[in-house]
């Protein structure tokens, strides 16, 4: 596609439910990033994939958060047993090359997760 | 650890006047620096970046930014503001090497309002 696509755009979950957020990066992009953006804050790094390899998951806030990119293209961010503090916009970004050299990251519109 | 500070939550400027959105950063080594803009319900859009070379960087929509190593600053500027420039602006930094080199670290954002 022309840009990074994320689905769903909005997700409402009851506390304790599991959710799965999907990211379709720009075709051919090697790098894929997930960020969490709380209300009134800047995006915060969650995890990074180079192709199918998850090279950095240091930003995942707890073991309830899990991300995968099994074929090096589409990625899924899964949150188990959602809590109210998980409410945020989850942004996905992709870049053409492996992270480094100041590559531009292209962002999707995000998934707004509300946990009730 | 790398960090970004955007000291102003909001900047108001009259249409046609010059605008400045401030950003300072902290990294252990040399930085890659970025500016992104976010419109409501949209993802972040890349404006410009500093990698190396000329300290004055020109980007999209007439924006420019000046890298000042001694002041660790990377302020965003535009000579003549448009109403359509009203949006949320984020400064971001990444170290050229080291453990944090995969991660973009963002500031909290500055809301720019251009008054007709």
């Amino acid at each position: 596609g022309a840009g990074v696509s994320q689905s769903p755009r909005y997700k409402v979950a009851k506390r304790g439910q599991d959710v799965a957020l999907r990211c379709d990066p720009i075709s051919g992009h090697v790098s894929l990033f997930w960020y969490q953006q709380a209300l009134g804050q800047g995006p915060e790094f969650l995890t990074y994939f180079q192709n199918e390899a998850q090279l950095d998951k240091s930003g995942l806030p707890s073991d309830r958060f899990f991300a995968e990119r099994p074929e090096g293209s589409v990625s899924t961010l899964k949150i188990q047993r959602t809590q109210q503090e998980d409410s945020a916009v989850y942004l996905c970004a992709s870049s053409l090359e492996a992270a480094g050299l100041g590559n531009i990251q292209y962002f999707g519109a995000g998934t707004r997760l509300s946990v009730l | 650890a790398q960090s970004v500070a955007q000291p102003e939550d909001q900047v108001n400027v009259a249409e046609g006047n010059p605008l400045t959105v401030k950003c300072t950063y902290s990294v252990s080594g040399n930085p890659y620096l970025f500016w992104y803009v976010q419109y409501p319900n949209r993802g972040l859009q890349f404006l410009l970046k500093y990698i190396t070379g000329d300290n004055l960087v020109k980007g999209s929509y007439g924006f420019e930014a000046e890298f000042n190593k001694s002041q660790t600053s990377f302020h965003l500027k535009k000579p003549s503001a448009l109403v359509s420039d009203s949006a949320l602006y984020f400064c971001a930094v990444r170290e050229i090497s080291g453990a944090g080199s995969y991660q973009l670290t963002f500031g909290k954002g500055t809301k720019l309002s251009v008054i007709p």
Side-chain angles (χ1 to χ4, degrees), chain B residues 18-29:
Chain B
L19 69 88
T20 299
V21 182
K22 296 179 180 177
C23 171
T24 59
Y25 66 90
S26 175
V27 295
S28 301

Side-chain angles (χ1 to χ4, degrees), chain A residues 38-110:
Chain A
L39 190 64
Q41 302 295 318
E44 292 193 0
F45 171 83
L46 294 177
T47 187
Y48 164 64
F49 289 87
Q50 182 177 313
N51 296 309
E52 69 278 4
Q54 188 175 21
L55 298 187
D56 188 347
K57 54 181 181 179
S58 62
L60 296 176
S62 78
D63 59 8
R64 296 186 296 104
F65 287 70
F66 172 77
E68 60 183 4
R69 193 186 185 197
E71 298 179 357
S73 177
V74 171
S75 176
T76 303
L77 176 67
K78 297 179 179 178
I79 309 173
Q80 297 177 324
R81 304 181 303 281
T82 52
Q83 304 294 317
Q84 281 190 321
E85 61 262 28
D86 300 335
S87 296
V89 175
Y90 290 85
L91 296 169
C92 177
S94 70
S95 64
L96 180 61
E97 299 173 349
L101 300 178
N103 299 325
I104 298 168
Q105 294 183 24
Y106 297 90
F107 283 79

Side-chain angles (χ1 to χ4, degrees), chain B residues 51-68:
Chain B
I51 304 299
T52 187
D54 195 348
N55 289 343
L56 184 63
V57 178
K58 294 187 183 297
S60 307
Y61 313 118
F63 284 94
E64 58 188 29
E66 186 166 10
F67 171 63
N68 187 317

Side-chain angles (χ1 to χ4, degrees), chain B residues 9-52:
Chain B
D9 290 337
Q10 178 146 358
V11 170
N12 297 321
V13 64
E15 187 176 23
N17 282 3
L19 69 88
T20 299
V21 182
K22 296 179 180 177
C23 171
T24 59
Y25 66 90
S26 175
V27 295
S28 301
N30 292 317
Y32 294 133
L33 292 156
F34 302 81
W35 276 101
Y36 283 83
V37 59
Q38 188 175 37
Y39 296 98
N41 299 315
R42 302 274 298 275
L44 279 73
Q45 296 178 29
F46 170 78
L47 278 179
L48 51 79
K49 66 177 180 179
Y50 171 81
I51 304 299
T52 187

Side-chain angles (χ1 to χ4, degrees), chain B residues 47-101:
Chain B
L47 278 179
L48 51 79
K49 66 177 180 179
Y50 171 81
I51 304 299
T52 187
D54 195 348
N55 289 343
L56 184 63
V57 178
K58 294 187 183 297
S60 307
Y61 313 118
F63 284 94
E64 58 188 29
E66 186 166 10
F67 171 63
N68 187 317
K69 188 171 183 178
S70 63
Q71 296 185 4
T72 62
S73 67
F74 190 57
H75 300 330
L76 181 70
K77 300 182 179 184
K78 188 174 182 181
S80 178
L82 301 173
V83 172
S84 57
D85 293 330
S86 299
L88 194 53
Y89 290 80
F90 290 96
C91 180
V93 67
R94 187 162 77 201
E95 285 191 56
I96 292 177
S97 61
S101 62

